[in-house]
């Protein structure tokens, strides 16, 4: 069974979706630990409700990434829990070299847009402002290029007349829940092969 | 009936699709003139086959846009043909100020990607190289921002395993033919309202 570590800063709705997929048997994996940079992240509480170890690890003084010492603590914690695949589920900090090297090719992130469109923060708001007629979400491997790693899977949603950031985000979130679990499942079955920027999905 | 002027540099497959939509009565419009910057563009021949006036206008010495004198010639030609809406159908030159001002809000372009992803040349190749799982095409109004004007309509196509530039381009082209005619139809029915970057499609 694939051992997962989940990093989350906030609600952890993707965490919840992954747990649901595990509980229902659709995903053969085990969440060994959930770590947050916020002591009161709802994700921690959610994890504990399911009996999953949930830890707050202070991020240090940096705002957009983890302090080197803190990052080392994150890596150590994940390693001590024998984590094989790191899942970023709304983790709002950029991972630096030590982390990326320690889990090279074994970190996934989800972004609420069809990358390379609308990378960075507030992707749904960006899509609305741009006047896009379609947007979506992207699960990708994490590299040192922000929102730029090889794409595992994407899903498309329409932008509808009268959409607000909230209504659009909700529509995208449903697809996020679906494709994140799907991407982890493909990984757990050893079906993902990365060649440069291409992620090839092998048949069962 | 809406009077169209079409600019094309090459095959003019989108021109053909527009003609078919007009001939079949799905689109209430009339192509008054087709202009090309290449004397032997297939688009010119295609137009003549349908009895449409087709003119080669030399672009001048610039490679990426029209010389000022040439651009004036294009504008004059379109105006003399009483063109109300200018359709760029694979026209490989950037339009400059005189043209943009003369037909402000009345120039459409199609781009073979889901903008803002993969703007510029060889959009299909870019999508493949990036490892995108979905791409598509975009009809937009033309402004001074290249591939950046307000979006009228988009269509999505999957990138499939084993896709080449050719196979992907063909899949996108089918959607181009569909949505370009659709965008012109909406315009001809007076149903497009532009507010900043937003193109609102009004009900009939």
């Amino acid at each position: 069974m694939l051992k997962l570590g989940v990093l989350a800063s906030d609600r952890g709705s993707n965490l919840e979706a992954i747990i649901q997929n595990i509980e229902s048997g659709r995903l053969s994996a085990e969440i060994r630990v959930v770590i947050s940079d916020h002591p009161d992240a709802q994700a921690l509480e959610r994890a504990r409700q399911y009996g999953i170890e949930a830890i707050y690890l202070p991020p240090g003084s940096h705002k957009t990434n983890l302090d080197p010492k803190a990052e080392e603590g994150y890596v150590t914690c994940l390693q001590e829990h024998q984590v094989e695949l790191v899942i970023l589920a709304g983790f709002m900090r950029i991972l630096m070299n030590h982390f990326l090297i320690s889990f090279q090719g074994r970190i996934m992130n989800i972004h609420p847009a069809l990358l390379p469109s609308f990378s960075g923060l507030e992707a749904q708001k960006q899509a609305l402002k741009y006047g896009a007629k379609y947007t979506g979400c992207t699960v990708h491997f994490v590299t040192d290029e922000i929102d730029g790693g090889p794409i595992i899977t994407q899903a498309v949603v329409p932008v509808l007349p009268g959409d607000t950031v909230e209504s659009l985000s909700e529509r995208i979130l449903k697809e996020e829940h679906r494709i994140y679990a799907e991407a982890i499942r493909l990984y757990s079955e050893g079906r993902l092969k990365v060649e440069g920027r291409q992620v090839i999905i092998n048949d069962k």
Side-chain angles (χ1 to χ4, degrees), chain A:
Chain A
M1 274 224 296
L2 182 68
K3 298 180 187 76
L4 305 176
V6 179
L7 306 194
S9 296
D10 197 9
R11 292 179 301 172
S13 87
N14 272 305
L15 167 65
E16 173 83 31
I18 293 163
I19 294 172
Q20 294 296 343
N21 272 276
I22 292 173
E23 299 253 316
S24 69
R26 285 190 297 275
L27 178 59
S28 176
E30 177 193 1
I31 300 175
R32 298 297 295 259
V33 65
V34 173
I35 311 178
S36 182
D37 55 336
H38 285 289
D40 50 359
Q42 211 187 315
L44 293 176
E45 198 180 328
R46 245 189 247 263
R48 287 183 194 121
Q49 280 168 2
Y50 287 94
I52 297 167
E53 193 170 345
I55 302 172
Y56 159 63
L57 286 182
S61 57
H62 278 118
K63 282 192 174 170
T64 55
N65 54 304
L66 298 164
D67 281 359
K69 270 278 167 202
E71 187 163 278
E72 216 175 302
Y74 274 68
V75 168
T76 303
C77 179
L78 292 165
Q79 286 170 338
E80 282 173 357
H81 286 82
Q82 298 170 289
V83 165
E84 295 165 313
L85 180 67
V86 178
I87 301 296
L88 306 184
F91 188 66
M92 300 307 283
R93 287 169 192 271
I94 297 159
L95 303 178
M96 308 303 278
N97 257 345
H98 175 57
F99 200 118
L100 296 178
I101 290 167
S102 301
F103 289 95
Q104 194 165 20
R106 299 190 291 135
I107 312 168
M108 282 187 191
N109 185 37
I110 192 158
H111 184 79
L114 289 174
L115 290 171
S117 283
F118 315 126
S119 62
L121 295 174
E122 299 192 311
Q124 302 93 336
K125 192 175 172 184
Q126 286 185 57
L128 278 177
K129 279 186 74 174
Y130 194 86
K133 301 295 184 183
Y134 289 94
T135 183
C137 48
T138 303
V139 180
H140 62 91
F141 285 113
V142 174
T143 64
D144 57 0
E145 202 184 327
I146 296 169
D147 293 331
I151 292 173
I152 301 162
T153 178
Q154 296 185 301
V156 181
V157 307
V159 180
L160 299 179
D163 254 341
T164 60
V165 173
E166 290 68 32
S167 64
L168 179 59
S169 299
E170 198 179 329
R171 193 175 308 122
I172 294 171
L173 199 57
K174 271 187 199 162
E175 293 300 303
E176 289 181 45
H177 295 167
R178 185 176 63 78
I179 70 171
Y180 216 169
E182 170 70 6
I184 298 166
R185 191 174 62 75
L186 291 169
Y187 185 95
S188 74
E189 293 171 356
R191 291 171 58 192
L192 300 179
K193 192 172 146 202
V194 181
E195 291 181 358
R197 285 202 54 82
Q198 313 299 315
V199 181
I200 294 148
I201 300 173
N202 293 307
D203 291 336
K204 245 182 178 167

